[in-house]
């Protein structure tokens, strides 16, 4: 019986494989050494790729760092989505999504990347825009579906969403620094419950 031919990878597949290798190598180095102490030659060596190939795929170290953060943010958003199936009520989904966010942020290095080094390297405005497209977007959608901001006299979602997002980020930082996970999670859910108010009658 003749051997099966080895599948030939397309250029797109090779490109994605190379990009992923660079992103994963960069993530490990950024977490282990910090952005400032990591060089592009180190990243290329760790990925098993030439420095020229690195600059073919990314403009510079800052661009590569941005892609690392985007991937982290997308992973957090995916965890939130997985924790909030459609059969949950809007309120239940919001609470479960909140727990999923805090759990997702316990992945080693993620808090440092997204909440500490990210704003320092890219600036707060860019990091907030990235957050608005991932986990903050999920939070706003959850608040809206739960009916918050619809009644007269309630805070607007535009004002409330970033404030609650900041509280969640502060909770993630506290957990990363050694705070009791259960106590911090309970406090955040208590805060969210107070923001939601009593269960609304249909």
């Amino acid at each position: 019986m003749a051997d099966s031919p080895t599948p030939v990878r397309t250029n797109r597949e090779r490109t994605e494989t190379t990009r992923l290798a660079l992103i994963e190598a960069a993530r490990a180095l950024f977490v282990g050494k910090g952005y400032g102490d990591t060089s592009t030659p180190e990243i290329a060596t760790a990925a098993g790729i030439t420095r020229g190939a690195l600059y073919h795929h990314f403009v510079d170290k800052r661009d590569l760092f941005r892609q690392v953060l985007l991937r982290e943010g997308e992973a957090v958003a995916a965890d939130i989505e997985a924790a909030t199936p459609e059969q949950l009520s809007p309120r239940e989904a919001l609470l479960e999504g909140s727990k999923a966010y805090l759990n997702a942020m316990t992945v080693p290095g993620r808090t440092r990347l997204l909440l500490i080094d990210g704003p320092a390297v890219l600036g707060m405005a860019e990091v907030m825009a990235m957050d608005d497209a991932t986990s903050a977007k999920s939070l706003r959608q959850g608040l809206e579906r739960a009916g918050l901001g619809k009644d007269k006299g309630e805070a607007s979602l535009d004002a409330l969403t970033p404030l609650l997002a900041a509280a969640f980020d502060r909770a993630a930082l506290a957990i990363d620094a050694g705070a009791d996970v259960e106590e911090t999670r309970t406090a955040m859910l208590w805060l969210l419950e107070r923001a939601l108010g009593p269960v609304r009658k249909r």
Side-chain angles (χ1 to χ4, degrees):
M1 182 175 178
D3 292 337
S4 300
T6 302
V8 178
R9 292 193 303 170
T10 65
N11 286 336
R12 182 175 181 179
E13 288 173 334
R14 285 193 292 270
T15 294
E16 287 305 310
T17 298
T18 300
R19 283 178 60 86
L20 182 59
L22 286 165
I23 288 171
E24 290 181 342
R27 186 199 190 281
L29 286 166
F30 290 149
V31 170
K33 300 182 64 176
Y35 177 85
D37 290 330
T38 298
S39 67
T40 52
E42 284 181 293
I43 296 170
T45 298
I49 294 164
T50 66
R51 191 179 179 192
L54 185 154
Y55 285 112
H56 174 74
H57 293 283
F58 303 98
V59 176
D60 52 22
K61 185 174 74 168
R62 192 170 184 270
D63 182 38
L64 177 51
F65 181 73
R66 180 183 294 109
Q67 297 307 312
V68 170
L69 262 61
L70 283 170
R71 190 162 179 256
E72 293 296 309
E74 288 168 356
V76 173
D79 283 356
I80 294 171
E81 183 175 355
T84 54
E86 291 184 2
Q87 61 264 33
L88 295 181
S89 71
R91 191 184 186 102
E92 290 170 335
L94 184 57
L95 295 172
E96 290 302 314
S98 298
K99 288 188 278 188
Y101 170 79
L102 293 176
N103 288 336
M105 291 300 288
T106 62
V107 171
R110 185 167 284 167
T111 297
R112 175 177 183 171
L113 289 169
L114 291 176
L115 304 182
I116 300 173
D117 290 353
V121 175
L122 300 179
M124 186 59 73
E126 183 171 353
V127 170
M128 287 182 68
M130 293 167 62
D131 189 41
D132 286 343
T134 53
S135 55
K137 179 180 178 181
S138 298
L139 177 59
R140 181 188 171 89
Q141 289 174 341
L143 293 169
E144 188 172 16
R145 288 169 183 162
L148 201 65
K150 291 183 178 180
D151 292 345
K152 186 176 180 180
E154 286 187 341
S156 73
L157 288 180
D158 288 340
L160 187 60
T161 301
L163 294 177
L164 283 174
F168 275 106
D169 290 348
R170 182 63 183 81
L173 286 166
I175 291 171
D176 189 61
D180 184 274
V181 176
E182 192 56 39
E183 283 187 3
T184 305
R185 183 186 296 119
T186 299
M188 275 307 310
L189 293 178
W190 177 89
L191 178 62
L192 191 56
E193 289 272 21
R194 295 307 177 277
L196 290 172
V199 177
R200 299 163 191 261
K201 295 181 180 180
R202 295 184 178 181

